[in-house]
Amino acid sequence: MLDSLRRWPWFAIALAPYPLLFIAASNPGQVDAASLLPTLAAAVAASLALLALLRLLLGDWLRAGLGVAWFLLLFFSYGPVNTRFDVAGSAADEGLAELHWAAENLQLVHSAIWLLLLMLGWSWLRRLRHPPGRLTAALNLMSVLLLVVAGVQWTAGRGARAEAASTDAVGPAATAGDAPDIYFIVLDGYARSDVLASHYAYDNGPFLRRLERLGFQVADASQANYSWTFLSLSSTLNMDYMQALLGDRLDPTAADRESAFRLLRDNRVAAFLRGRGYRFVHLQSTWGGTGSNPYADDFRRCGGGLFRDDYLLAVAEVSWLRAFGSQASLDLASCHLRNFETLAALGREPGPKFVLAHFVPPHHPYLFDRDGRVIRNANLSNQFEFQKKLWEDRQAYIDQLAFVSGKAEDAIARLIADSKRSPVILLVSDHGPNLRRGIEGADYNRLRLANLSAVRLPGAFAQPLPEDISNVNLMRVVLDRLFAAGLPSLPDRHFVSDYRQPFDFTEVDGNGVPVETAASSADNM
C-alpha cells in the first residue's frame, strides 16, 4: 500500500472532483446528486485521459500526475483570477487607452496567459529529474483527505434544508373562479422618489404619475423591513418577519442563507393562492435566491448557454469555461430583456396565476444606458463585484433606473391591455440604494430602507393604501381584500444587519435610528 502511494499519482484523479465537491458543499442543500454525480464522473474520466496523454509526453506516471495537477490548478483558478482582472469599466472611466483593448478582450488575453503558463509548467516537468516518492505520497494523502472532507460537507448539507413555511394562518382554501392574475414585480434596489430627488438630483415624478394613470397607488413614504434582498423577499412573500418565520432556527451568528432561500421559493403567498386554484409562475432571475425554483408550478428560464443547470453554471463561472462567456453561462443583459418580454406576454395566458418576476436592475452591474443600449456584457460571477464602489456611480444607476422603469411600464401596460380580468400588480423594490460615501449611521439606514412601493388593486378593492406601508404588509392587504383572508396588517418594523452576519438584526425606527437609541433619547427629554 505504501509503495503504491509512492509510485502511483492517485492525486491526479482525486484532485479533479475536489473543486466540484467544494462548490456543491459551499451551497448547502442546493446541489442534488443528479447534477453532481455525472459531473464528478466526467471530471474523473477527463483526468484519466489527460494523465494517459501526459504519460506519453512527459515520460513517466509521476510527471504526468504533476502535469494533471498543474492543469487543474489553472483550470479552477481561472474564474477567481478573471474576476480580479475585470477592469473594462474602470479602464474606460480612467481613460487608459492602452488597457482598453485588453479589457475588451479580457477572456482572450487571460486564456493566452493561462495557456502559456500551462505549456511552461509542462515543459519544466519534462526536464525535471525524477520526482521524489515522498512528494507523490504526500500529494496522494492530501488529495484524498480533501476529497473526503468535501464529500462529508456536501452530504451533511443535503440534510440541512429548512422546513417548508407553514400556511396554517391564511384562511380556508376556495376556488379562484374568475379571480384576477397577481403579478409581483421586484426592481432590485430601486430608490424611493424622495431619495432619488435628494441624492441623485433625479425627478421620478413623471414615471410615478404614469403608473397612477394605469391604476396604481404609490406609497410615498414606504419602507422595506430588511436591508438585504434575500431577507426582504422572504419576509414579503411569507407576510411575516424573519424572526417569526425562522423561530428557534434563527442564529444571529449564522451566514447560511439557505433557510431564507427556501422560504422565498416555497412561500406562503404561493401556497395560499395555489389552494385557490392559482398557478405559481416564477421567472428566472440572475440572482441566486430567485435564479431557480423547484417549488414553482411553472419556472420560465431566461436563456443560458451550454449549461442550464444552476450547479453547472456555477462551475462554468469559476473555471476556465468562463472564457466562453455567455456561450457557457448566462448573459445578464439578455436575460433581463427576455424576462421583460416574457412578463409582458403573460397577460394572454390563461389564469389565474401568481407571477414572481425579480429584476436585478437598477442594481448594478450597469448593463444598460438610458436608451437601453447594452454598455457592458456581464455574467453571473461578476454581477456583484466591487459593491460599495458601484453604488456610488450615481449617473450609471440613474441611467439604468430610467431604462428599467420604461421597460416595466411597457410590460405592465401590455398586461393590463391583454388580461381578460383587470390584474393585480405589485411593483416594488426589496430595499433602497446602498450609498455609503459621506452617509452613515441613521442616514444610511433610512436611505437603505426607503423603497419603491406601487400597488394596483382594481375596482372595488382599490381602497387607499397607507402611505408608509412596509413590504411585510403588501401581500396581507392584497389577499385580505381579494379573498377576505383574515390577514390583519402587522406593526411596521425595520431591521438592518451586516452582510457577513445578516441575521444579527438591529431594529431601527422610520428615521433609521436604532430603536434602543431612540427610546433612550426620549427618556432623557
Side-chain angles (χ1 to χ4, degrees), residues 44-58:
V44 170
S47 65
L48 284 171
L50 181 59
L51 183 66
L53 175 63
L54 291 180
R55 165 67 178 81
L56 298 176
L57 295 176
L58 302 181

PDB file of all heavy atoms in Angstrom, residues 44-58:
ATOM      1  N   VAL A  44     -13.445  12.830 -13.460  1.00  0.00           N
ATOM      2  CA  VAL A  44     -12.514  11.710 -13.261  1.00  0.00           C
ATOM      3  C   VAL A  44     -12.097  11.122 -14.609  1.00  0.00           C
ATOM      4  O   VAL A  44     -10.909  10.845 -14.845  1.00  0.00           O
ATOM      5  CB  VAL A  44     -13.174  10.633 -12.375  1.00  0.00           C
ATOM      6  CG1 VAL A  44     -12.323   9.364 -12.361  1.00  0.00           C
ATOM      7  CG2 VAL A  44     -13.349  11.155 -10.954  1.00  0.00           C
ATOM      8  N   ALA A  45     -13.053  10.959 -15.516  1.00  0.00           N
ATOM      9  CA  ALA A  45     -12.730  10.403 -16.835  1.00  0.00           C
ATOM     10  C   ALA A  45     -11.771  11.322 -17.592  1.00  0.00           C
ATOM     11  O   ALA A  45     -10.810  10.861 -18.230  1.00  0.00           O
ATOM     12  CB  ALA A  45     -14.013  10.192 -17.638  1.00  0.00           C
ATOM     13  N   ALA A  46     -12.030  12.645 -17.510  1.00  0.00           N
ATOM     14  CA  ALA A  46     -11.163  13.590 -18.213  1.00  0.00           C
ATOM     15  C   ALA A  46      -9.756  13.595 -17.625  1.00  0.00           C
ATOM     16  O   ALA A  46      -8.760  13.670 -18.365  1.00  0.00           O
ATOM     17  CB  ALA A  46     -11.772  14.989 -18.138  1.00  0.00           C
ATOM     18  N   SER A  47      -9.662  13.504 -16.293  1.00  0.00           N
ATOM     19  CA  SER A  47      -8.331  13.499 -15.673  1.00  0.00           C
ATOM     20  C   SER A  47      -7.564  12.226 -16.029  1.00  0.00           C
ATOM     21  O   SER A  47      -6.347  12.260 -16.236  1.00  0.00           O
ATOM     22  CB  SER A  47      -8.458  13.643 -14.150  1.00  0.00           C
ATOM     23  OG  SER A  47      -9.110  12.520 -13.590  1.00  0.00           O
ATOM     24  N   LEU A  48      -8.262  11.102 -16.124  1.00  0.00           N
ATOM     25  CA  LEU A  48      -7.594   9.857 -16.531  1.00  0.00           C
ATOM     26  C   LEU A  48      -7.093   9.959 -17.972  1.00  0.00           C
ATOM     27  O   LEU A  48      -5.972   9.514 -18.283  1.00  0.00           O
ATOM     28  CB  LEU A  48      -8.557   8.678 -16.388  1.00  0.00           C
ATOM     29  CG  LEU A  48      -8.803   8.175 -14.959  1.00  0.00           C
ATOM     30  CD1 LEU A  48      -9.944   7.166 -14.946  1.00  0.00           C
ATOM     31  CD2 LEU A  48      -7.527   7.544 -14.396  1.00  0.00           C
ATOM     32  N   ALA A  49      -7.907  10.538 -18.840  1.00  0.00           N
ATOM     33  CA  ALA A  49      -7.489  10.687 -20.234  1.00  0.00           C
ATOM     34  C   ALA A  49      -6.285  11.615 -20.344  1.00  0.00           C
ATOM     35  O   ALA A  49      -5.324  11.336 -21.089  1.00  0.00           O
ATOM     36  CB  ALA A  49      -8.649  11.230 -21.067  1.00  0.00           C
ATOM     37  N   LEU A  50      -6.305  12.713 -19.595  1.00  0.00           N
ATOM     38  CA  LEU A  50      -5.177  13.647 -19.623  1.00  0.00           C
ATOM     39  C   LEU A  50      -3.939  13.000 -19.012  1.00  0.00           C
ATOM     40  O   LEU A  50      -2.812  13.197 -19.509  1.00  0.00           O
ATOM     41  CB  LEU A  50      -5.544  14.921 -18.865  1.00  0.00           C
ATOM     42  CG  LEU A  50      -4.479  16.010 -18.833  1.00  0.00           C
ATOM     43  CD1 LEU A  50      -4.111  16.466 -20.248  1.00  0.00           C
ATOM     44  CD2 LEU A  50      -4.958  17.216 -18.015  1.00  0.00           C
ATOM     45  N   LEU A  51      -4.114  12.209 -17.962  1.00  0.00           N
ATOM     46  CA  LEU A  51      -2.990  11.510 -17.341  1.00  0.00           C
ATOM     47  C   LEU A  51      -2.320  10.571 -18.346  1.00  0.00           C
ATOM     48  O   LEU A  51      -1.075  10.533 -18.449  1.00  0.00           O
ATOM     49  CB  LEU A  51      -3.485  10.729 -16.125  1.00  0.00           C
ATOM     50  CG  LEU A  51      -2.427   9.990 -15.308  1.00  0.00           C
ATOM     51  CD1 LEU A  51      -1.482  10.966 -14.628  1.00  0.00           C
ATOM     52  CD2 LEU A  51      -3.100   9.092 -14.259  1.00  0.00           C
ATOM     53  N   ALA A  52      -3.117   9.835 -19.096  1.00  0.00           N
ATOM     54  CA  ALA A  52      -2.555   8.917 -20.095  1.00  0.00           C
ATOM     55  C   ALA A  52      -1.821   9.674 -21.198  1.00  0.00           C
ATOM     56  O   ALA A  52      -0.739   9.256 -21.648  1.00  0.00           O
ATOM     57  CB  ALA A  52      -3.678   8.067 -20.687  1.00  0.00           C
ATOM     58  N   LEU A  53      -2.371  10.801 -21.619  1.00  0.00           N
ATOM     59  CA  LEU A  53      -1.723  11.598 -22.666  1.00  0.00           C
ATOM     60  C   LEU A  53      -0.395  12.170 -22.174  1.00  0.00           C
ATOM     61  O   LEU A  53       0.628  12.113 -22.882  1.00  0.00           O
ATOM     62  CB  LEU A  53      -2.661  12.724 -23.102  1.00  0.00           C
ATOM     63  CG  LEU A  53      -2.100  13.725 -24.118  1.00  0.00           C
ATOM     64  CD1 LEU A  53      -1.766  13.018 -25.439  1.00  0.00           C
ATOM     65  CD2 LEU A  53      -3.094  14.865 -24.361  1.00  0.00           C
ATOM     66  N   LEU A  54      -0.412  12.711 -20.948  1.00  0.00           N
ATOM     67  CA  LEU A  54       0.816  13.304 -20.413  1.00  0.00           C
ATOM     68  C   LEU A  54       1.869  12.240 -20.103  1.00  0.00           C
ATOM     69  O   LEU A  54       3.068  12.538 -20.098  1.00  0.00           O
ATOM     70  CB  LEU A  54       0.491  14.121 -19.156  1.00  0.00           C
ATOM     71  CG  LEU A  54      -0.321  15.401 -19.393  1.00  0.00           C
ATOM     72  CD1 LEU A  54      -0.577  16.125 -18.076  1.00  0.00           C
ATOM     73  CD2 LEU A  54       0.401  16.333 -20.369  1.00  0.00           C
ATOM     74  N   ARG A  55       1.421  11.011 -19.846  1.00  0.00           N
ATOM     75  CA  ARG A  55       2.404   9.929 -19.664  1.00  0.00           C
ATOM     76  C   ARG A  55       3.247   9.765 -20.925  1.00  0.00           C
ATOM     77  O   ARG A  55       4.470   9.542 -20.857  1.00  0.00           O
ATOM     78  CB  ARG A  55       1.651   8.633 -19.341  1.00  0.00           C
ATOM     79  CG  ARG A  55       2.467   7.358 -19.481  1.00  0.00           C
ATOM     80  CD  ARG A  55       3.580   7.279 -18.435  1.00  0.00           C
ATOM     81  NE  ARG A  55       4.308   6.037 -18.557  1.00  0.00           N
ATOM     82  CZ  ARG A  55       5.278   5.763 -19.429  1.00  0.00           C
ATOM     83  NH1 ARG A  55       5.625   6.707 -20.316  1.00  0.00           N
ATOM     84  NH2 ARG A  55       5.902   4.606 -19.436  1.00  0.00           N
ATOM     85  N   LEU A  56       2.627   9.917 -22.077  1.00  0.00           N
ATOM     86  CA  LEU A  56       3.363   9.809 -23.334  1.00  0.00           C
ATOM     87  C   LEU A  56       4.253  11.024 -23.565  1.00  0.00           C
ATOM     88  O   LEU A  56       5.364  10.900 -24.091  1.00  0.00           O
ATOM     89  CB  LEU A  56       2.378   9.655 -24.498  1.00  0.00           C
ATOM     90  CG  LEU A  56       1.484   8.409 -24.475  1.00  0.00           C
ATOM     91  CD1 LEU A  56       0.499   8.439 -25.637  1.00  0.00           C
ATOM     92  CD2 LEU A  56       2.337   7.142 -24.527  1.00  0.00           C
ATOM     93  N   LEU A  57       3.771  12.202 -23.167  1.00  0.00           N
ATOM     94  CA  LEU A  57       4.513  13.433 -23.447  1.00  0.00           C
ATOM     95  C   LEU A  57       5.642  13.683 -22.451  1.00  0.00           C
ATOM     96  O   LEU A  57       6.693  14.213 -22.823  1.00  0.00           O
ATOM     97  CB  LEU A  57       3.554  14.627 -23.435  1.00  0.00           C
ATOM     98  CG  LEU A  57       2.474  14.649 -24.529  1.00  0.00           C
ATOM     99  CD1 LEU A  57       1.543  15.841 -24.325  1.00  0.00           C
ATOM    100  CD2 LEU A  57       3.121  14.710 -25.905  1.00  0.00           C
ATOM    101  N   LEU A  58       5.415  13.321 -21.168  1.00  0.00           N
ATOM    102  CA  LEU A  58       6.368  13.686 -20.118  1.00  0.00           C
ATOM    103  C   LEU A  58       7.270  12.527 -19.686  1.00  0.00           C
ATOM    104  O   LEU A  58       8.225  12.750 -18.951  1.00  0.00           O
ATOM    105  CB  LEU A  58       5.623  14.245 -18.896  1.00  0.00           C
ATOM    106  CG  LEU A  58       4.739  15.475 -19.170  1.00  0.00           C
ATOM    107  CD1 LEU A  58       4.075  15.940 -17.881  1.00  0.00           C
ATOM    108  CD2 LEU A  58       5.559  16.601 -19.784  1.00  0.00           C
TER     109      LEU A  58
END
